[in-house]
Amino acid sequence: MKPSPKVVNLDGTIRRRKQLHIDGYTDRHISALLASGSLHRLRRGQYVDGPLWDSLSPTDRHRALLRGVFLTGHTTAIASHVSAAVEWGAPTWNLPLDVAHTTRMDGKAGRRRTDWTQHCGALPKEQVVNLNGVRVSSAARTCIEISTLTDVEHSLVVVNGLLNSKATTQEEFAALAKDTRYWPRSLATDLVVRLCNPQMESAGETRFDFLCWRQHLPRPVPQVEVFDERGRPVGRVDFLWPREGVFVEFDGRAKYAQFRREGETLDEYLMREKKREETICQLTGWVCIRVTWDDLAGPELVAHRLRKILAARAPQPA
C-alpha cells in the first residue's frame, strides 16, 4: 500500500490558545489577528496561520481539521471514513469535507459534533496504518467504511481511486467485504465490490462507467490503446464499444492539468488533443463522443443519445 504523493506537511501548523498566551498574545491580540486575517480559527481554541489557510485546498483544509480533532480526541482514535480517504489521496467527489471522521477503538462512539463524527469499532492491527503522520484505517477498510456512509456512485469514486493508486486491491476489498457483510448500513457494499474497477483514472470516468451500468447501456471497455500502421502507440481512449466502433473521451479539468506539457498553453493542448482524436478516427474508422461533467448531470439524456449512436453503428446482419 502506498500513501498519496506530494501531500502538504501540516505538522506544527495548529496553535492552541494556551500556546499563544505563553508566546505573549492576549485574547485582544488574538481577536485582532483574526479580524485582520493573519490568523484563522480552525476549531474552538485552535488556530492556524491565515495566509497558510488561504493557500490550502479543500482536502488539505480537511486534513488540518482532522489534526485539530486529534488534539482533543481519544487516544485510541484513528482517521476513518471520509478522513481516511482524504489522507490516502482518493478522490472524494461531492462528499462533505467540513466534518472529520474518526473511529475509537475502545468500544465507545463518543459525542457527535458539528465538525466531527466519532465512530466506534474494533480494528485489528493490520487494518491500521501510519500515514502522513497520523493513524488511519487501511485502504481496504476505508473502502468498506465509505460504502456504509454514502451511496454507490459516491462510494465508487473513492474505491476506484484507491484501487487505481494501488493503495489496495480488488481481492483485499472483496475479502474484507465478505468479513464485514453484517455491518450496519452495508447493503450497498456488495454492489460496490461488483462494480469497482481499478482502470478508472478519475472521478469523471468512474461516474460515466456507473452511468452506463445504471442506464442499462452496454458496458464499454476502458483505457484502450491505439497503434498506427507501424505498431507505434498513437494514444489511448477512455472508453470503447469495439463492436460499434464508438469511443468516449471524458473531458475534465483534472485531465487538462495532468496531460498538458510543460509550457504548453490550454489552446495548444486542445489542438494537440484534437489532432490525436482525428488520427485515431482515421486509423480505426471509429467515431468519438465527448462527455463532460455537465453532461453527467443529465444521465438519461446522455444515455438516450448514446443508444441512438450505438444503434446506428451496430453491425447489420448479412
Side-chain angles (χ1 to χ4, degrees), residues 211-265:
L211 180 152
C212 292
W213 175 82
R214 188 67 180 268
Q215 297 297 322
H216 307 290
L217 289 166
R219 296 290 291 281
V221 181
Q223 313 303 341
V224 178
E225 293 279 358
V226 179
F227 302 88
D228 66 11
E229 297 88 348
R230 297 182 180 180
R232 297 174 300 189
V234 173
R236 185 176 58 178
V237 301
D238 294 334
F239 296 96
L240 171 68
W241 283 280
R243 178 171 169 269
E244 292 81 3
V246 176
F247 69 96
V248 170
E249 292 284 77
F250 185 83
D251 284 340
R253 291 183 180 180
K255 180 178 286 189
Y256 296 157
Q258 180 180 358
F259 294 109
R260 276 171 63 181
R261 296 169 181 169
E262 186 175 355
E264 187 177 43
T265 67

Side-chain angles (χ1 to χ4, degrees), residues 113-161:
R113 303 180 184 180
T114 56
D115 63 351
W116 182 15
T117 298
Q118 301 183 70
H119 309 266
C120 68
L123 283 76
K125 290 182 178 180
E126 62 271 16
Q127 292 181 17
V128 180
V129 179
N130 290 314
L131 186 64
N132 306 326
V134 295
R135 295 196 307 166
V136 307
S137 55
S138 67
R141 185 182 175 99
T142 301
C143 293
I144 302 292
E145 293 168 345
I146 286 292
S147 70
T148 66
L149 194 68
T150 186
D151 60 28
V152 173
E153 184 175 12
H154 287 81
S155 298
L156 282 170
V157 169
V158 175
V159 172
N160 284 345

Side-chain angles (χ1 to χ4, degrees), residues 2 17 56-57 65 73 78 95 103 132-133 154 176 181 188 196 209 219 222 230 234 249 277 288 298 314:
K2 63 179 183 179
R17 181 180 292 273
L56 294 178
S57 66
L65 172 63
I78 67 165
L95 292 178
T103 294
N132 306 326
H154 287 81
L176 189 56
R181 61 188 179 276
C196 68
D209 187 58
R219 296 290 291 281
R230 297 182 180 180
V234 173
E249 292 284 77
E277 177 188 315
C288 176

Side-chain angles (χ1 to χ4, degrees), residues 1 3 28 39 91 120 257 296 303 311:
M1 296 181 292
R28 187 174 180 179
L39 205 62
C120 68
L296 296 179

